[in-house]
Amino acid sequence: MEGDPTLRLRVFDLNCWAIRYLSKRRQERVRLIGNVLRREGFDLVLLQEVWSEQDYSDLKVKLGGCYPFSHYFRSGVIGSGLCVFSRFPILDTLLYQYSLNGYPYMLQHGDWFCGKSVGLVIIKISGIIFNVYVTHLHAEYCREKDAYLPHRLVQAWELAQFIRHTSKAADVVLLGGDLNMHPEDVGIRLLRGWTGLRDAFAEAARFEGCEDGCTLVPNNCFTVKTELLPFPLGIRIDYILYKAVSSFTVKCEELKTTTGTAPGMDIPFSDHEAVMATLHIQRQGRAAGAPLGAAEPTLADVVTEARTEVGVGLRAAQQQRYSAGRMAVLALLLLLLQALAALGVLAGLAAGQPFPKLSFSLLAFLAIGVLLLATGLHLFHTMEVKMLQGTEEQMRMVLRALQERPSDG
Amino acid sequence: MEGDPTLRLRVFDLNCWAIRYLSKRRQERVRLIGNVLRREGFDLVLLQEVWSEQDYSDLKVKLGGCYPFSHYFRSGVIGSGLCVFSRFPILDTLLYQYSLNGYPYMLQHGDWFCGKSVGLVIIKISGIIFNVYVTHLHAEYCREKDAYLPHRLVQAWELAQFIRHTSKAADVVLLGGDLNMHPEDVGIRLLRGWTGLRDAFAEAARFEGCEDGCTLVPNNCFTVKTELLPFPLGIRIDYILYKAVSSFTVKCEELKTTTGTAPGMDIPFSDHEAVMATLHIQRQGRAAGAPLGAAEPTLADVVTEARTEVGVGLRAAQQQRYSAGRMAVLALLLLLLQALAALGVLAGLAAGQPFPKLSFSLLAFLAIGVLLLATGLHLFHTMEVKMLQGTEEQMRMVLRALQERPSDG
């Protein structure tokens, strides 16, 4: 390391849990976050769940001095919640919204309304091009029966594809965010395997913080303790990942997490712990990168595993599409039947009044409601099926390429 | 040109107008398209509006011999309609769905359901990396009062951004598709200015086909003649664009369009004319590219013009969001009033039965319907506002960068 000039980069990542009206002590915590960012003077700050643009604007004003460059990514009904603050000029940005992101009717899980995305900012520091990605994947509400696993896998796949396709001119790739996956989960193995990204926690020369690098810990007064019962130490779902794409090396000198409360405070910054990495970037003669050749059999296994899970999701989505379609047809039939009966009465075929007007009208309205709802659901699940099929096919293509590669030389 | 080895690439682009149950003589035309593609043996075929996966599969089977590689891009409810057939292996693919694409309630215009996207396939021919993009932007239904202009501009912008960010490792960039924009429209100037793509029609050494390169012509028996009344020659909205990114040059040797009927047939392939380009790609010593420096003042003007249009769309979307929100609040108030009245009756405050049950229930159902609909619209227009704001901000950032560049050196 010595001899050559190295660049030292301090990166801060946090899921801020700043949901207007819902998150506890939000404004106070956003102020605290602003304070620590100003005091510590990181080079790069990657935030998630900054749902309120007002919070972003407040942070922007507060941090203007030490982080003159920033970007807020807009998407979905509520927003993407993603933003970046930087000491160095942001040259360009791009947002990619994941094609699947839960269900609009799962109001209690709200993910669909957030337009979950990955944001890219391009930054040049000392002539080195950094592609910095910030993202937040679909939450896991029940680990035993995780209905959102296929959606999260599609997101992990799209994230990996987006990074691969957009980072070809970058010297260094950084990804920070709440991936909502444990380190051994198939989605994170897929992301790491397919992009070659390394886990700052695993690579760090020094670590300080929650045991095992956990970022959702029982020690934090805002976490839901029952959800963490199976994990007495907590779970690690927030990451800083990196790789050098061309003739550079990146090393993680130090990784830190907060430990339940913000340093010197009585409350935490968020229900998540912050992840802080100190990276060393050095130019070197030969191109660096993970020895992909050796890792390929493993990668094929991971892609196969992910593809199986996407297939499970696909069959579930097809089943739901079918059920919604059948419901719509039944509602339509009921409406037609009612229309026929009403016509019969009008034509004088039936004597007197065979059914009470009120129940008749209520039934018709109910049928119309069910018809509209079921049609909407059918359309939604049709889209879901298409995206799952598309991902499955892409994975199949990649598997074929991985298997053929040795013969291609 | 002579001396150095050159690569000759024949590209075919067509909006196939293959909508199940709606497009006239669809199956016959898809067969015709398959026949000509097999007979002519292009290198690369870019198709749009292949809405039925069955049509794609039929083409795939038929063309397997001469185009062993193909990809169908899935998205939206109906699909993206985009597919690619290639004589050369497809190394990788990526789909980017535009964030805005019309309105779900404009059923007669159907664009929203198509999940309009840009598809990328990466192809390597003789060691040259081609990034090939195929796309289809939102249709223009009324040129005088084009309500979809802001959406199409957002799409053109996202298309340009997607190409810029994903093509950095490419040697040659090709874009084919139905852009639904006339050559002088702001969207196409924006796309060309911001990516440096060149128009094969304008650059072609030889041209053969409809006058002015038009691709929607009165001569075609499937076009709607009244829509083309202001344009006696027709309009040009289907394009093949290209550029060389690194040390390559691309020249368009020849451009052809079909002319109303397919060669040797009594009907056309589609309501659009096909565009066929013969490109010459040659390696050269120095990097080629449009002299961006000189073009920058013009580019700034184009971005400003586009931003103004996006701003107009933003204000319209904000107005619609407000109206939908107000409607939802009114419906909610009506429901609350009814609930109060009903409670009053139940509590015996009102003597007898003050309102007929039937009208009362119908009114309640109506209010619920309006509430749901207006809430849905409000959410939709909130998303629209966010995306328009995001695009406007990105454009503002680019303008600032364009203005600052001279001082940066």
Side-chain angles (χ1 to χ4, degrees):
Chain A
M1 291 280 288
E2 272 89 57
D4 258 0
T6 62
L7 178 72
R8 196 158 163 267
L9 199 76
R10 293 177 63 228
V11 185
F12 178 94
D13 171 83
L14 175 65
N15 177 328
C16 297
W17 189 47
I19 314 168
R20 238 171 170 169
Y21 315 119
L22 286 179
S23 301
K24 284 176 199 156
R25 302 172 75 173
R26 186 187 106 247
Q27 288 172 304
E28 189 183 349
R29 289 187 295 102
V30 170
R31 263 199 308 278
L32 281 184
I33 293 170
N35 291 345
V36 79
L37 292 180
R38 198 164 55 180
R39 196 174 59 234
E40 291 282 332
F42 294 96
D43 296 299
L44 205 54
V45 174
L46 311 175
L47 303 180
Q48 303 98 51
E49 290 210 7
V50 181
W51 297 118
S52 145
E53 272 198 59
Q54 190 53 53
D55 284 345
Y56 167 72
S57 301
D58 292 348
L59 280 173
K60 195 175 152 86
V61 169
K62 187 171 196 166
L63 301 176
C66 34
Y67 305 89
F69 307 96
S70 65
H71 190 77
Y72 186 76
F73 292 98
R74 289 185 179 85
S75 90
V77 178
I78 307 174
S80 72
L82 307 172
C83 62
V84 174
F85 290 89
S86 165
R87 271 185 57 211
F88 303 95
I90 293 174
L91 302 184
D92 210 341
T93 67
L94 187 65
L95 183 76
Y96 182 97
Q97 199 168 333
Y98 299 122
S99 61
L100 288 180
N101 186 34
Y103 305 98
Y105 50 83
M106 297 300 272
L107 290 174
Q108 77 277 28
H109 291 165
D111 292 65
W112 187 83
F113 292 91
C114 306
K116 292 271 167 74
S117 313
V118 46
L120 158 65
V121 299
I122 299 183
I123 294 171
K124 197 174 185 174
I125 311 173
S126 312
I128 306 172
I129 299 283
F130 287 80
N131 268 34
V132 181
Y133 301 85
V134 56
T135 194
H136 185 186
L137 304 194
H138 197 292
E140 183 185 74
Y141 293 99
C142 169
R143 195 162 174 82
E144 286 67 47
K145 214 182 159 188
D146 182 12
Y148 298 108
L149 178 59
H151 283 211
R152 203 179 309 105
L153 275 174
V154 168
Q155 295 185 343
W157 177 255
E158 290 180 347
L159 172 59
Q161 285 286 77
F162 182 72
I163 291 176
R164 286 178 64 250
H165 281 281
T166 52
S167 67
K168 285 176 181 167
D171 297 311
V172 177
V173 174
L174 286 181
L175 166 62
D178 174 0
L179 302 183
N180 272 312
M181 302 186 282
H182 298 208
E184 73 282 5
D185 284 358
V186 57
I188 200 136
R189 283 182 284 130
L190 180 73
L191 172 67
R192 290 186 48 201
W194 192 221
T195 57
L197 284 167
R198 292 162 186 214
D199 183 351
F201 173 74
E203 307 274 333
R206 276 200 309 281
F207 173 75
E208 198 180 300
C210 298
E211 210 167 329
D212 287 349
C214 291
T215 58
L216 214 56
V217 294
N219 222 9
N220 183 309
C221 65
F222 294 131
T223 53
V224 183
K225 300 300 168 287
T226 49
E227 284 178 6
L228 290 175
L229 272 185
F231 308 100
L233 291 178
I235 57 178
R236 183 157 79 94
I237 58 175
D238 299 85
Y239 296 83
I240 291 176
L241 305 173
Y242 61 80
K243 72 167 174 173
V245 209
S246 57
S247 50
F248 287 86
T249 47
V250 186
K251 285 183 181 166
C252 182
E253 186 189 55
E254 185 180 57
L255 194 84
K256 283 185 180 179
T257 72
T258 49
T259 51
T261 48
M265 309 288 161
D266 63 329
I267 57 160
F269 292 129
S270 165
D271 59 348
H272 286 244
E273 301 308 316
V275 184
M276 294 155 282
T278 305
L279 304 176
H280 268 210
I281 295 108
Q282 192 166 30
R283 197 183 291 270
Q284 63 165 20
R286 54 179 186 77
L292 253 184
E296 263 171 31
T298 335
L299 178 57
D301 290 346
V302 175
V303 177
T304 306
E305 191 180 340
R307 204 183 138 212
T308 308
E309 289 294 348
V310 171
V312 170
L314 176 58
R315 280 182 291 283
Q318 281 167 331
Q319 182 57 44
Q320 282 169 306
R321 178 178 63 172
Y322 173 76
S323 306
R326 192 180 50 186
M327 183 68 84
V329 169
L330 287 177
L332 191 66
L333 283 179
L334 179 61
L335 269 178
L336 287 177
L337 213 67
Q338 285 202 292
L340 273 180
L343 279 176
V345 171
L346 283 177
L349 293 179
Q353 186 173 334
F355 13 70
K357 264 189 193 166
L358 178 65
S359 332
F360 193 78
S361 315
L362 287 184
L363 192 62
F365 268 102
L366 196 70
I368 291 176
V370 171
L371 176 62
L372 289 177
L373 203 72
T375 307
L377 278 179
H378 181 73
L379 292 179
F380 180 83
H381 288 299
T382 301
M383 281 197 259
E384 189 189 9
V385 164
K386 283 218 182 288
M387 298 323 300
L388 287 165
Q389 279 175 335
T391 305
E392 216 203 356
E393 201 185 289
Q394 270 195 41
M395 287 176 171
R396 196 171 55 223
M397 211 173 93
V398 166
L399 278 174
R400 209 170 40 218
L402 285 177
Q403 280 146 10
E404 278 170 8
R405 203 171 290 187
S407 64
D408 284 6
Chain B
M1 290 278 288
E2 272 91 57
D4 258 0
T6 62
L7 177 73
R8 197 159 164 266
L9 199 75
R10 293 177 63 228
V11 185
F12 178 95
D13 171 82
L14 176 64
N15 177 329
C16 298
W17 189 47
I19 313 168
R20 240 172 170 167
Y21 315 118
L22 286 179
S23 302
K24 285 176 198 156
R25 302 173 73 175
R26 186 188 106 248
Q27 287 171 307
E28 190 183 348
R29 291 187 294 103
V30 170
R31 263 199 307 279
L32 281 184
I33 293 170
N35 291 346
V36 78
L37 291 180
R38 198 164 53 180
R39 196 174 59 235
E40 291 281 333
F42 294 96
D43 296 299
L44 205 54
V45 175
L46 311 175
L47 302 181
Q48 303 98 52
E49 290 211 6
V50 182
W51 298 119
S52 144
E53 271 197 60
Q54 191 53 52
D55 285 344
Y56 166 72
S57 301
D58 292 349
L59 280 173
K60 194 176 153 85
V61 168
K62 187 171 196 164
L63 300 176
C66 35
Y67 305 90
F69 307 96
S70 65
H71 191 77
Y72 185 77
F73 291 98
R74 289 185 180 85
S75 90
V77 178
I78 306 174
S80 73
L82 308 172
C83 61
V84 174
F85 290 90
S86 166
R87 272 186 55 213
F88 304 95
I90 293 174
L91 303 183
D92 210 340
T93 67
L94 187 65
L95 183 77
Y96 181 97
Q97 199 168 332
Y98 299 122
S99 61
L100 287 181
N101 186 34
Y103 306 97
Y105 51 83
M106 296 302 272
L107 289 175
Q108 76 277 30
H109 291 168
D111 293 64
W112 186 84
F113 292 92
C114 306
K116 291 272 168 72
S117 313
V118 45
L120 159 64
V121 299
I122 299 183
I123 293 171
K124 197 175 187 174
I125 311 174
S126 312
I128 306 172
I129 299 283
F130 286 81
N131 269 34
V132 181
Y133 300 85
V134 56
T135 194
H136 185 186
L137 303 194
H138 197 292
E140 183 185 74
Y141 294 98
C142 169
R143 194 159 174 83
E144 286 66 47
K145 214 181 159 189
D146 182 11
Y148 298 108
L149 178 59
H151 283 209
R152 202 179 310 104
L153 275 175
V154 168
Q155 294 184 343
W157 177 255
E158 290 180 347
L159 172 60
Q161 285 285 77
F162 182 70
I163 292 175
R164 286 177 65 251
H165 281 282
T166 53
S167 66
K168 286 177 180 166
D171 298 312
V172 177
V173 174
L174 286 180
L175 165 63
D178 174 1
L179 302 183
N180 272 311
M181 301 187 283
H182 298 210
E184 73 282 4
D185 284 358
V186 57
I188 199 136
R189 284 183 283 130
L190 180 73
L191 171 66
R192 290 186 48 201
W194 191 221
T195 57
L197 284 167
R198 291 162 185 215
D199 183 351
F201 172 75
E203 307 274 334
R206 276 200 309 282
F207 174 73
E208 197 180 299
C210 297
E211 211 167 327
D212 286 350
C214 290
T215 58
L216 215 57
V217 295
N219 222 10
N220 182 308
C221 65
F222 294 131
T223 53
V224 183
K225 300 300 170 286
T226 49
E227 283 178 6
L228 290 175
L229 273 184
F231 309 99
L233 291 177
I235 56 178
R236 183 158 78 93
I237 57 174
D238 299 84
Y239 297 83
I240 292 176
L241 305 173
Y242 62 78
K243 71 166 175 174
V245 209
S246 57
S247 50
F248 288 87
T249 49
V250 185
K251 284 183 182 166
C252 182
E253 186 189 56
E254 186 180 56
L255 193 84
K256 283 185 180 180
T257 72
T258 49
T259 53
T261 49
M265 309 289 162
D266 64 328
I267 57 160
F269 293 130
S270 165
D271 59 347
H272 286 244
E273 302 307 317
V275 184
M276 293 155 282
T278 305
L279 304 175
H280 269 210
I281 295 108
Q282 192 168 29
R283 197 184 291 269
Q284 62 164 22
R286 52 175 188 80
L292 253 183
E296 264 170 30
T298 333
L299 178 56
D301 290 346
V302 175
V303 176
T304 306
E305 194 181 338
R307 203 184 139 210
T308 309
E309 289 295 348
V310 170
V312 171
L314 175 58
R315 279 181 293 280
Q318 281 167 331
Q319 183 58 46
Q320 282 169 306
R321 177 179 64 171
Y322 172 76
S323 304
R326 192 180 50 187
M327 183 69 84
V329 169
L330 287 178
L332 191 66
L333 284 179
L334 179 60
L335 268 179
L336 287 177
L337 214 65
Q338 284 202 291
L340 274 179
L343 280 177
V345 170
L346 284 177
L349 292 179
Q353 189 174 332
F355 13 71
K357 262 188 193 168
L358 179 64
S359 333
F360 193 79
S361 313
L362 287 183
L363 191 63
F365 268 102
L366 196 70
I368 291 174
V370 170
L371 176 62
L372 288 177
L373 203 71
T375 307
L377 278 179
H378 181 74
L379 291 180
F380 181 83
H381 288 299
T382 301
M383 280 197 260
E384 191 189 7
V385 165
K386 284 217 182 289
M387 298 323 300
L388 287 165
Q389 280 176 335
T391 305
E392 217 205 355
E393 200 185 290
Q394 269 193 41
M395 288 177 170
R396 195 172 54 223
M397 211 172 92
V398 166
L399 278 174
R400 209 171 38 218
L402 285 176
Q403 281 149 7
E404 279 170 6
R405 204 170 291 185
S407 64
D408 285 5

